[in-house]
């Protein structure tokens, strides 16, 4: 199974500051079509997870452009340029290159 | 608007069975892969099972932890996804989310999630 490792596990951030979460995979996530099969999800407190980023950097509809994804191969980053209170929650990366689908352990973003 | 509404979550004894349903609206389930993802209390997300869209052959896939015990299926006439769970164990206790994949292939983003159904396995 592909192991997904996120860091940090907890990220306290002051509103207006930038935040970055990294996600490493134990196997390359580059598909034969050139895409990286890496998605990011956010689970806000008391809610279901929601898709933020697909294929490494494509924003889902309604996701603000201050949230961006980057990376390729085995190393990926989710960056929030200016954190807002609504960004609080647990962020998960997920690989979809091979079975079984696996998630990172999650990064809890806390607003100071 | 895409909506996914799970039902069927309950308290069940170890060794028992339960069937979860996920009523979909706003899109045809036959056209997309659909998946179940679970979250044990206080824990992270775990993929459970997927079924591909009819355009990709209606293939099914399972996590090793549920293979042989869980069965995913789809009723296109009811636009509903199911998860039949047998031989339930305490470590199956979790919120089960129904999700819609972004296309007929199952290794594609999970772009919509239901509100979740709580399954508790305990005597």
């Amino acid at each position: 199974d592909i192991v997904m490792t996120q860091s940090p596990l907890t990220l306290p951030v002051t509103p207006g500051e930038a935040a970055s979460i990294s996600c490493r995979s134990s196997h390359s996530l580059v598909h034969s079509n050139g895409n990286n099969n890496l998605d990011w999800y956010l689970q806000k407190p008391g809610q279901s997870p929601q898709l933020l980023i697909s294929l490494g950097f494509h924003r889902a509809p309604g996701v603000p452009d201050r949230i961006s994804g980057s990376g390729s191969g085995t190393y990926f980053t989710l960056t929030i340029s200016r954190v807002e209170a609504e960004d609080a929650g647990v962020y998960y990366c997920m690989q979809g290159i091979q079975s079984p689908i696996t998630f990172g352990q999650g990064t809890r973003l806390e607003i100071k | 608007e895409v909506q996914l509404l799970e039902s069927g979550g309950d308290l069940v004894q170890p060794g028992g069975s339960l069937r979860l349903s996920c009523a979909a609206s706003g899109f045809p389930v036959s056209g997309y892969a659909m998946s179940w993802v679970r979250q044990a209390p206080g824990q992270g997300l775990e993929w459970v099972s997927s079924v591909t869209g009819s355009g990709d052959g209606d293939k099914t896939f399972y996590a090793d932890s549920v293979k042989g015990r869980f069965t995913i299926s789809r009723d296109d006439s009811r636009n509903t996804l199911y998860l039949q769970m047998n031989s339930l164990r305490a470590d199956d206790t979790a919120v089960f989310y129904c999700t819609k994949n972004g296309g007929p292939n199952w290794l594609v983003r999970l772009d919509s999630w239901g509100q979740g159904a709580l399954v508790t396995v305990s005597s």
Side-chain angles (χ1 to χ4, degrees):
Chain A
D1 298 1
I2 294 179
V3 177
M4 306 297 290
T5 304
Q6 292 182 227
S7 63
L9 297 185
T10 304
L11 182 58
V13 185
T14 300
E17 290 187 343
S20 287
I21 300 169
S22 72
C23 175
R24 290 183 184 270
S25 62
S26 61
H27 182 88
S28 175
L29 303 185
V30 180
H31 193 274
S32 57
N33 61 15
N35 292 326
N36 283 278
N37 283 22
L38 185 284
D39 305 325
W40 289 96
Y41 299 84
L42 166 61
Q43 186 173 30
K44 295 183 178 182
Q47 296 186 18
S48 303
Q50 62 188 89
L51 175 68
L52 292 178
I53 301 284
S54 64
L55 298 178
F57 66 94
H58 287 286
R59 280 187 213 88
V63 175
D65 58 9
R66 56 191 180 77
I67 295 176
S68 62
S70 62
S72 183
T74 62
Y75 187 77
F76 299 86
T77 303
L78 181 76
T79 302
I80 307 173
S81 59
R82 299 173 306 279
V83 170
E84 298 183 2
E86 67 177 21
D87 300 327
V90 181
Y91 292 77
Y92 296 93
C93 59
M94 183 198 89
Q95 67 81 15
I97 194 74
Q98 70 179 48
S99 180
I101 289 172
T102 48
F103 292 87
Q105 65 269 61
T107 294
R108 182 176 302 277
L109 188 148
E110 300 176 345
I111 305 298
K112 290 181 181 176
Chain B
E1 179 191 5
V2 170
Q3 289 194 334
L4 301 169
L5 185 61
E6 299 99 334
S7 60
D10 205 346
L11 170 64
V12 61
Q13 292 190 340
S17 297
L18 205 59
R19 188 178 81 158
L20 300 181
S21 300
C22 172
S25 59
F27 72 101
V29 293
S30 61
Y32 295 83
M34 301 288 292
S35 302
W36 290 95
V37 175
R38 67 183 179 183
Q39 185 171 37
Q43 302 301 307
L45 303 173
E46 179 190 16
W47 170 77
V48 173
S49 180
S50 298
V51 57
T52 64
S54 56
D56 199 22
D58 298 321
K59 297 187 284 288
T60 58
F61 301 88
Y62 299 93
D64 285 346
S65 58
V66 307
K67 199 172 295 182
R69 301 188 299 124
F70 291 10
T71 302
I72 190 171
S73 62
R74 199 180 65 221
D75 185 333
D76 295 343
S77 66
R78 296 179 182 272
N79 217 38
T80 299
L81 178 74
Y82 300 99
L83 185 68
Q84 176 67 43
M85 302 183 292
N86 299 329
S87 303
L88 283 162
R89 310 185 304 220
D91 62 359
D92 292 317
T93 294
V95 173
F96 283 72
Y97 294 102
C98 168
T99 72
K100 168 186 167 290
N101 291 70
N105 185 295
W106 72 290
L107 289 172
V108 173
R109 66 192 178 278
L110 307 175
D111 62 12
S112 297
W113 296 61
Q115 87 288 350
L118 176 61
V119 173
T120 303
V121 184
S122 175
S123 55

